Amino acid sequence: MNTVHLLEIEFEQNGQKQIITPVLLHDEQHTILIDCGYPDFLPLLEKAAQKHGISLQSLTAVIVTHHDMDHIGSLAALKRAYPQIETIAYESEVPYLAGSKKSLRIEQAEATLVDLSPEEKPHAEAFIRFLETIEPAHVDRTVTHQEQLPWCGGIEIIHTPGHMPGHISLYLPASKTMITGDAVVASSGKLEIANPQFTMDLAAAIRSVQLLLDYDIQQLICYHGGLFTGDARQALQQVIHMYTTNEQSEK
């Protein structure tokens, strides 16, 4: 039996309620976590898994969709607590996760400093300092586009760059489930590009949404927004239409 569990983790950030949705895949032999939250989220992950009757002691792997802080902040702590875990990421993400290359988010934030007002700059500098505290983590296994992992009924890796160059989404053919990471987010019954103003390559992000349409999707799970309950195919097409229409109107 192959099971997909949504770990809805609710927390407060800057006085506002936030929810992220890591995903736990489980079968008789494997327990796989997709993304792992901000720093110090290990207790929240453990509690969320326990609600589904699963102990993280059974974890066999964690797959990272990309190296944003809310997806990998607890990765090093998770690996320390459960050293049996195999850490998996797209090949180009490895140096950022290992700390041998500066985070692309830090580079992006640093590039904005020159244009900020004196009032805005301290907040940006504090954000950069926070990003610099993210603990590096070793990657045990790299994956490539359309690679098939044999666990939990099968997991297909889909390279979906745009939000970040090494971003991946995951397709589970057994249940026709698409785990999008930050390729799209669900909000107010719609799908949207995640933080377009912080997307590294918006044109690539739209092409990645188009790529998702190649798959037979019966359920779609976003890291921000959880399970999308509408017509996923139609909603993905609407995202593409919105941005291509905007591009044409700007020409």
Side-chain angles (χ1 to χ4, degrees):
M1 181 179 179
N2 307 312
T3 309
V4 180
H5 300 289
L6 279 66
L7 305 186
E8 289 198 347
I9 297 179
E10 187 175 319
F11 59 101
E12 275 200 14
Q13 187 180 52
N14 299 323
Q16 292 187 326
K17 188 181 81 168
Q18 305 280 338
I19 299 175
I20 58 171
T21 310
V23 176
L24 204 58
L25 309 179
H26 183 66
D27 66 12
E28 291 84 358
Q29 295 178 302
H30 302 277
T31 303
I32 300 166
L33 179 65
I34 317 299
D35 290 332
C36 58
Y38 286 94
D40 303 319
F41 267 41
L42 184 54
L44 298 178
L45 287 165
E46 291 169 334
K47 185 177 180 180
Q50 286 167 1
K51 288 180 180 177
H52 295 277
I54 297 172
S55 167
L56 293 191
Q57 292 283 359
S58 68
L59 270 182
T60 51
V62 57
I63 301 175
V64 173
T65 60
H66 63 295
H67 71 273
D68 264 332
M69 62 178 176
D70 55 331
H71 293 255
I72 58 103
S74 287
L75 183 58
L78 188 69
K79 182 75 172 180
R80 243 190 329 271
Y82 306 104
Q84 80 279 2
I85 297 171
E86 186 177 26
T87 305
I88 300 169
Y90 191 71
E91 51 193 353
S92 64
E93 286 287 281
V94 172
Y96 302 109
L97 289 161
S100 58
K101 274 191 179 181
K102 184 187 291 188
S103 162
L104 291 175
R105 283 291 173 237
I106 293 178
E107 288 188 355
Q108 188 180 50
E110 287 175 339
T112 69
L113 289 175
V114 68
D115 297 320
L116 296 180
S117 68
E119 293 77 21
E120 294 171 320
K121 191 169 287 188
H123 297 288
E125 289 171 339
F127 178 63
I128 291 168
R129 287 194 297 272
F130 175 67
L131 289 176
E132 289 172 340
T133 68
I134 303 300
E135 192 177 353
H138 175 73
V139 175
D140 300 298
R141 175 174 180 166
T142 60
V143 287
T144 58
H145 180 54
Q146 295 186 323
E147 183 170 342
Q148 308 280 336
L149 301 177
W151 317 310
C152 299
I155 304 166
E156 181 175 344
I157 304 298
I158 310 169
H159 183 213
T160 46
H163 185 74
M164 271 191 174
H167 187 284
I168 57 173
S169 300
L170 310 172
Y171 182 66
L172 314 178
S175 59
K176 297 181 179 178
T177 297
M178 182 67 71
I179 301 170
T180 69
D182 280 356
V184 288
V185 298
S187 177
S188 302
K190 296 192 302 181
L191 295 180
E192 300 175 1
I193 294 294
N195 291 326
Q197 69 273 30
F198 299 119
T199 296
M200 296 284 179
D201 185 335
L202 189 56
I206 300 306
R207 289 194 296 271
S208 290
V209 175
Q210 181 72 55
L211 180 60
L212 298 182
L213 287 170
D214 291 345
Y215 294 82
D216 182 4
I217 302 172
Q218 289 192 357
Q219 62 176 358
L220 184 147
I221 302 168
C222 302
Y223 195 70
H224 302 282
L227 180 65
F228 181 70
T229 56
D231 183 327
R233 186 170 191 84
Q234 183 182 62
L236 290 168
Q237 288 170 334
Q238 286 172 345
V239 172
I240 296 164
H241 177 73
M242 180 175 68
Y243 281 92
T244 53
T245 302
N246 288 344
E247 280 183 11
Q248 290 168 0
S249 65
E250 291 170 3
K251 288 180 180 178

